[in-house]
Amino acid sequence: MQQAVSQGNNLHLEPASIEVEGLPTRPDGNNVNVDRESLLLSQTQLQYQMGVQLIKSEFHRLLTAIKDGN
C-alpha cells in the first residue's frame, strides 16, 4: 500500500504498512502467515494481469480507430 504525501504542488507516494490485527504471533515476535501472504500475492498478480489486458485492449481499440479513420 502507498500513502500520498503532498510536497508543495507535487504529489509524492510513499510506502505504508498496515498492521493486521488477530494474527497469531510466534515466540520470536513474527506474525507473518506465509499462506496469507501467498494468497495476497496471487490476488495482486491477477489484478495486475487484468489491468494490463484492459490497457492492451484499449490501445488495440484506439489503433483500430486510427487505421479505420483514414
Side-chain angles (χ1 to χ4, degrees), residues 4-53:
V5 177
S6 179
Q7 294 177 342
N9 291 334
N10 296 330
L11 188 63
H12 179 70
L13 296 178
E14 292 183 359
S17 63
I18 298 173
E19 186 72 29
V20 179
E21 300 295 326
L23 295 177
T25 304
R26 295 190 319 220
D28 66 359
N30 187 348
N31 68 348
V32 175
N33 182 317
V34 176
D35 291 334
R36 179 181 181 278
E37 296 300 322
S38 295
L39 177 65
L40 291 173
L41 176 61
S42 296
Q43 188 178 37
T44 302
Q45 287 172 330
L46 288 172
Q47 289 172 348
Y48 174 80
Q49 289 171 356
M50 180 174 278
V52 168
Q53 288 300 320

